[in-house]
Amino acid sequence: MDTLFNTKFEGEPATHTQPGVQLRSNTYDLQESNVGLKLTIVSTVGFGDQINKEDSYKPIVEFIDAQFEAYLQEELKIRRVLHTYHDSRIHACLYFIAPTGHSLKSLDLVTMKKLDSKVNIIPIIAKSDAISKSELTKFKIKITSELVSNGVQIYQFPTDDESVAEINGTMNAHLPFAVIGSTEELKIGNKMMKARQYPWGTVQVENEAHCDFVKLREMLIRVNMEDLREQTHSRHYELYRRCKLEEMGFKDTDPDSKPFSLQETYEAKRNEFLGELQKKEEEMRQMFVQRVKEKEAELKEAEKELHEKFDRLKKLHQDEKKKLEDKKKSLDDEVNAFKQRKTAAELLQSQGSQAGGSQTLKRDKEKKK
């Protein structure tokens, strides 16, 4: 992009360890002579770096649809200011293809197939100096054949305008463009040119014998920029707009082939929405009642278990109390029996002491005699 617009675009470098595909959008105001251009560059950071690449295209599709949706919402306003609205729709997708010389990757075919109805795809072979001229020619033919066989619709330069029909027809035959980028200028002969210096030679970026960079710049910026914008609006955006409005219930004619009334459509959608709202409200009410019943049943079951546990503990307490009372009675009986035995023993002992005293007194009397 720096080479294409001869500008140093500021941007943060990205690593290849992103957890998913992220889209970074940067807008620049370019000026050349008296011509101004507001350019928005969107980078697909992390595309193709994950192990599971199945959903890599989804963030890109969602981003493009989000720009269409923003434009549609602006169009549907009562007071439209489209002449001052910053159009963020994507007008061209430069899809870079690795210079392998083999078939296209499945990821490339799937992604381009998902994008061809949403954006103007211009396939580009990156770092085309990595393969030889003969291999590059075969690679271009193979890519074109695979795109056609898989039904991928890439952007074709328009040939209906006589002023550009010849050059566009020629350029269509050169697709996909094989490009080389470089911001480094080297002195070649008496001129300073953008080029890449290698041990085996110098590759000139703007030399059409070396690469298709000049063809890409001519077709993209100078010849077909307005057509790219027109194709985005009349083809891709209109397709999105039609599908979106049909989803919302809007049609050009009713079943009787009469002009469709916007007011009737609005009323119908409003009634449909209110019906769905009431239905959801009733479902939520029924669900709430069901939940309350389930909770009441749980509480009753818990209450029943508590009562049963209380009865068990009460019975256990009564049994323990009865055992203690029985044990106390037994102990009281033992104490009473012990007291009786003690009383009897004391009585016997007292009687024995009295009998001994009488005998002693009698012997004393006999001695006196």
Side-chain angles (χ1 to χ4, degrees):
M1 299 306 293
D2 291 352
T3 313
L4 192 62
F5 290 94
N6 195 26
T7 305
K8 179 64 177 176
F9 293 111
E10 298 295 333
E12 298 179 359
T15 64
H16 292 279
T17 57
Q18 300 290 333
V21 181
Q22 300 176 359
L23 277 79
R24 293 182 183 174
S25 178
N26 295 292
T27 302
Y28 308 93
D29 290 313
L30 306 182
Q31 189 76 27
E32 184 173 350
S33 299
N34 295 326
V35 179
L37 174 67
K38 180 172 279 190
L39 176 68
T40 300
I41 300 174
V42 183
S43 305
T44 54
V45 179
F47 180 73
D49 290 338
Q50 293 76 37
I51 296 175
N52 184 3
K53 304 178 180 65
E54 184 177 356
D55 297 332
S56 294
Y57 67 89
K58 286 185 178 179
I60 305 173
V61 172
E62 289 171 358
F63 181 85
I64 295 173
D65 284 345
Q67 312 317 308
F68 285 154
E69 182 64 25
Y71 192 88
L72 177 61
Q73 292 302 321
E74 184 66 26
E75 257 194 347
L76 293 176
K77 287 182 179 179
I78 296 175
R79 295 184 60 185
R80 298 180 297 176
V81 285
L82 294 175
H83 60 284
T84 59
Y85 175 75
H86 173 54
D87 188 1
S88 60
R89 293 175 296 179
I90 307 299
H91 299 296
C93 171
L94 302 181
Y95 197 99
F96 287 87
I97 300 169
T100 60
H102 306 298
S103 301
L104 283 170
K105 298 177 183 177
S106 299
L107 174 64
D108 295 331
L109 289 171
V110 170
T111 304
M112 282 194 274
K113 184 63 179 174
K114 295 291 183 180
L115 294 177
D116 64 358
S117 62
K118 297 181 178 295
V119 68
N120 302 312
I121 300 175
I122 302 176
I124 295 173
I125 300 172
K127 301 178 181 178
S128 61
D129 54 342
I131 54 179
S132 65
K133 282 287 184 182
S134 58
E135 290 175 335
L136 186 59
T137 303
K138 293 178 182 177
F139 191 38
K140 281 189 174 186
I141 295 171
K142 196 162 195 176
I143 290 173
T144 305
S145 174
E146 288 185 349
L147 292 175
V148 172
S149 62
N150 286 276
V152 178
Q153 300 290 327
I154 63 172
Y155 175 72
Q156 294 290 321
F157 302 116
T159 56
D160 50 355
D161 188 348
E162 293 181 0
S163 60
V164 294
E166 184 177 352
I167 185 172
N168 279 347
T170 305
M171 290 302 120
N172 283 331
H174 283 85
L175 289 172
F177 291 134
V179 302
I180 302 163
S182 176
T183 55
E184 182 182 358
E185 291 192 350
L186 301 175
K187 189 173 183 180
I188 301 173
N190 296 325
K191 295 183 179 180
M192 296 297 292
M193 297 183 179
K194 288 184 174 63
R196 284 186 175 274
Q197 184 68 53
Y198 294 102
W200 46 263
T202 303
V203 178
Q204 300 174 29
V205 172
E206 296 179 328
N207 188 335
E208 294 192 47
H210 292 182
C211 72
D212 297 330
F213 177 79
V214 173
K215 295 183 179 68
L216 173 64
R217 185 175 62 192
E218 290 288 324
M219 293 298 99
L220 185 64
I221 301 175
R222 297 180 181 173
V223 180
N224 298 298
M225 180 180 285
E226 198 56 39
D227 184 72
L228 285 165
R229 291 163 57 89
E230 179 62 28
Q231 283 291 319
T232 298
H233 184 78
S234 62
R235 180 186 168 198
H236 303 301
Y237 171 68
E238 282 298 321
L239 177 62
Y240 175 85
R241 178 178 176 275
R242 185 173 70 247
C243 294
K244 191 70 176 179
L245 291 178
E246 285 178 354
E247 285 179 9
M248 295 168 65
F250 295 99
K251 298 178 182 178
D252 292 331
T253 58
D254 60 14
D256 299 328
S257 299
K258 295 180 181 179
F260 206 70
S261 171
L262 184 63
Q263 181 66 25
E264 292 177 1
T265 304
Y266 171 77
E267 290 295 337
K269 293 300 291 183
R270 183 174 181 276
N271 293 334
E272 182 182 349
F273 175 75
L274 290 175
E276 291 179 357
L277 193 63
Q278 289 176 355
K279 183 179 178 182
K280 287 182 179 179
E281 185 178 354
E282 181 63 23
E283 289 176 354
M284 291 181 67
R285 193 183 68 80
Q286 293 291 341
M287 187 182 297
F288 176 76
V289 171
Q290 182 65 26
R291 293 268 181 92
V292 169
K293 289 182 178 178
E294 291 175 357
K295 198 66 179 178
E296 286 179 349
E298 290 177 4
L299 291 173
K300 286 181 179 179
E301 185 67 24
E303 185 180 4
K304 182 180 177 183
E305 290 178 359
L306 285 173
H307 281 299
E308 290 177 353
K309 187 175 181 181
F310 176 76
D311 292 339
R312 287 197 302 270
L313 290 174
K314 186 177 180 181
K315 187 175 183 302
L316 182 64
H317 173 72
Q318 290 175 348
D319 292 343
E320 291 291 333
K321 185 178 180 181
K322 188 175 183 302
K323 287 180 181 179
L324 287 173
E325 289 176 351
D326 293 343
K327 193 171 183 180
K328 182 182 178 184
K329 184 179 179 182
S330 175
L331 288 173
D332 289 341
D333 292 342
E334 289 181 4
V335 168
N336 292 331
F338 174 77
K339 286 180 177 180
Q340 290 176 0
R341 287 197 300 273
K342 182 179 177 182
T343 303
E346 288 176 349
L347 181 62
L348 289 174
Q349 185 177 2
S350 175
Q351 291 176 356
S353 298
Q354 290 177 358
S358 299
Q359 290 177 1
T360 303
L361 180 61
K362 187 177 181 181
R363 282 197 299 268
D364 288 343
K365 285 180 179 181
E366 289 176 354
K367 285 179 179 181
K368 286 178 180 182
K369 286 179 179 182

